Amino acid sequence: MTAPGANLRINSERLWDSLMEMAKIGPGVAGGNNRQTLTDADAEGRKLFQSWCDTAGLSMGIDEMGTMFARREGTDPDALPVYVGSHLDTQPTGGKYDGVLGVLGGLEVIRTLNDLGLKTRHPIVVTNWTNEEGTRFAPAMLASGVFAGMHDLDWAYGRQDAEGKSFGDELKRIGWVGSEKVGDRKMHAMFELHIEQGPILEAEGKDIGVVTHGQGLWWLEVRLTGKDAHTGSTPMNMRVNAGLGMARITELVHQIAMAHQPNAVGAVGQANVYPNSRNVIPGRAVFTIDFRSPDLAKLTTMRAELEEGAAKIAAELGLGIEIEPTGHFDPVTFDPELVKVVRGAADRLGYSHMDIVSGAGHDACWINRVAPTVMVMCPCVDGLSHNEAEEISPAWATAGTDVLFHAVVETAEIVA
Ligand code: HGY
Ligand code: MN
Ligand code: MN
């Protein structure tokens, strides 16, 4: 495959303007975004992306999970397309770039090809995967998981949010149910550009992360049952306190992750006690644990240690306990050939780069099971993400998208 000339670059201003335009939809309260999946804000963001794709001359396909596939034709109708994308949905207190840079960076690849009047043998498809975040409807990477055959469609449609609304009903409500069967599309390759969401690239002074691997993950939902009682008149030895159990298990999660350093992380992200009244001892607690490691054996051991330790804590406090896995994927090894293409592109363009393991999960982690897949990363300020203060520089956005452009176009094969 011939690589594009190093002089070919994307249009930085246009990319940045599009990022800022999209950031106006579903604004947060502190400068970031709250564009959660299948909300009206998500629908508005989809509409804006659709209009940009129309202007760029792309044809749009939508599958039954609402994932958007915007296609630029290649010269060879039989050639499998090169996919490039990420997600437009955000955390409730999300940043402006998590996911969005990968979708609009993919669109910028198309816009630049259009500017240059270049054709490629393989078609190129820019993709917006539905519900990557998994915060409203667990698990994360839900649509790409169905696409990769990890979840079935009905199970995904039945996932419920905190108000009991189902994924399927909400997708219908916003009018984005497509007719394509999920997973029917075959891919020549898939690229995802994403901010690192960690501190390594910035600390090392690198413009580009060549993502060779991704961490594995377990999400475990813990439900503790104790007894509501008066916080004032109930003697300490008569309490069955689910809130205390949650606190002890939260500490246990931290201890387990620390015991498996390096390359292990753990936290409780979502935590609710019931009835959540100032003067009632909580009779119920429901919370989620997020364990991750690039080492499968460590990941398995952390889950086992948690289940054993949490059962012990519950027994000591007289609590009922249920632990339900609500999300999982093994550590990921991305396609070595595509990793070389990304590394070569960064070299050719003169961007500093280093190999890196993705700490966060991404749609690419599932698609890697059904097609050759790789990720490109750019730094983010202080490594901060899943926080409205998430920030990147226009230079980092440009570097990441330049490398994405070169890697995608090389793989899609320019036709002279
Ligand atoms: O949880 C994750 O790693 C991703 O940001 N959804
Ligand atoms: Mn993301
Ligand atoms: Mn995210």
Side-chain angles (χ1 to χ4, degrees), residues 87 89-91 98-99 132-133 194 197 360-362 385-386 390:
H87 62 94
D89 67 307
T90 75
Q91 288 283 333
D98 172 359
E132 187 281 340
E133 291 294 356
H194 207 288
Q197 299 182 292
H362 303 284
S385 182
H386 285 195
E390 173 188 281

Side-chain angles (χ1 to χ4, degrees), residues 207-226:
D207 301 317
I208 297 292
V210 181
V211 188
T212 57
H213 300 81
Q215 284 202 111
L217 162 152
W218 270 113
W219 279 2
L220 304 169
E221 180 170 289
V222 181
R223 296 186 285 274
L224 296 176
T225 312

Side-chain angles (χ1 to χ4, degrees), residues 284-365:
R284 241 169 27 96
V286 180
F287 52 106
T288 59
I289 295 166
D290 182 327
F291 275 135
R292 308 201 193 193
S293 173
D295 175 333
L296 183 55
K298 267 190 189 180
L299 199 57
T300 309
T301 305
M302 289 202 286
R303 177 182 169 184
E305 288 173 353
L306 182 279
E307 287 175 341
E308 189 190 334
K312 210 156 139 278
I313 289 168
E316 283 157 7
L317 296 174
L319 296 167
I321 183 167
E322 286 173 85
I323 301 180
E324 181 194 349
T326 51
H328 172 65
F329 54 85
D330 286 350
V332 167
T333 301
F334 288 115
D335 182 86
E337 288 313 306
L338 293 182
V339 165
K340 277 191 214 140
V341 169
V342 169
R343 214 180 276 132
D347 272 338
R348 196 165 51 244
L349 292 161
Y351 288 124
S352 58
H353 60 87
M354 62 183 281
D355 288 3
I356 193 168
V357 175
S358 175
H362 303 284
D363 294 307
C365 297

